[in-house]
Amino acid sequence: MSGPAPRVLVVDDEPQIVRGLKIILRSAGYAVEASESKAEALAALAILVLSAIGDEREKVRALDAGADDYVTKPFGTEELLARLRAVLRRSADPAGEPQVSVGELLIDFADRRVTREGREVHLTPIEFDLLRVLAHHRGRLVTHSHLLREVWGVQYANETHYLRVHMAHIRRKLEPDPPRPVYLITEPGVGYRLREPST
């Protein structure tokens, strides 16, 4: 990796897991910090959840709460590092437009902020990433599998229920009339598009 080492926060209630992860991640070139509690982790912005609970509802709750990915224990070292690389790629927006305006929405990629009619709208990290991908392809159809790969990773390419949940949340926050969206349009069975509202 070139430049300063990316910083990673490790949080787990098992000290041996924390020690092992620190060794794995440091040897892979990351600067590693550790937190002992959920409160400390949230204050430092946890991005990758490692859990022994593989229940889908728990995964959705963690992702809705702002986690960028969820890995079930036990996990392989290579899978962990690949998922971490994917999260870091998503957090660094590609070079290009610093912001995009769509109707009354202003999407600021650098600050990861969205305003509607001049007022800031709070989006979770996952919600912002979905909107970011759609904004980079605004006006064009973005397939379910493309959104899932870009936001969650290739292993989630068939988890379309994740999209339904998160798109419903985004619409409630951004659409003037969520049941009749003008920005976030569903192409049934295929994907979504972000478009300028019709006048």
Side-chain angles (χ1 to χ4, degrees), residues 9-26:
L9 174 67
V10 172
V11 187
D12 200 289
D13 57 0
E14 297 181 49
Q16 64 272 27
I17 294 283
V18 172
R19 282 195 298 272
L21 287 170
K22 286 167 79 172
I23 291 167
I24 289 168
L25 296 171
R26 283 180 178 152

Side-chain angles (χ1 to χ4, degrees), residues 77-122:
T77 299
E78 291 305 313
E79 178 191 6
L80 173 67
L81 295 175
R83 289 192 187 220
L84 185 54
R85 287 191 298 270
V87 166
L88 292 171
R89 276 197 307 273
R90 292 196 300 270
S91 68
D93 202 74
E97 301 166 287
Q99 57 187 28
V100 164
S101 178
V102 181
E104 295 294 329
L105 303 178
L106 180 65
I107 305 160
D108 187 319
F109 299 125
D111 288 340
R112 294 180 65 85
R113 292 175 64 235
V114 178
T115 57
R116 178 181 161 212
E117 297 178 334
R119 292 200 307 266
E120 186 167 356
V121 178
H122 172 73

Side-chain angles (χ1 to χ4, degrees), residues 100-107 114-118 121 131 134-135 137-140 167 170-187 192-198:
V100 164
S101 178
V102 181
E104 295 294 329
L105 303 178
L106 180 65
I107 305 160
V114 178
T115 57
R116 178 181 161 212
E117 297 178 334
V121 178
L131 187 62
L134 290 166
H137 300 281
R138 62 194 175 282
R140 300 195 304 270
M167 293 301 289
I170 298 170
R171 283 181 174 136
R172 280 199 296 272
K173 295 176 181 182
L174 298 183
E175 294 284 356
D177 183 6
R180 287 181 282 285
V182 294
Y183 293 111
L184 298 160
I185 308 304
T186 300
E187 301 291 346
Y192 299 90
R193 71 177 79 232
L194 176 66
R195 71 171 189 194
E196 290 278 352
S198 303

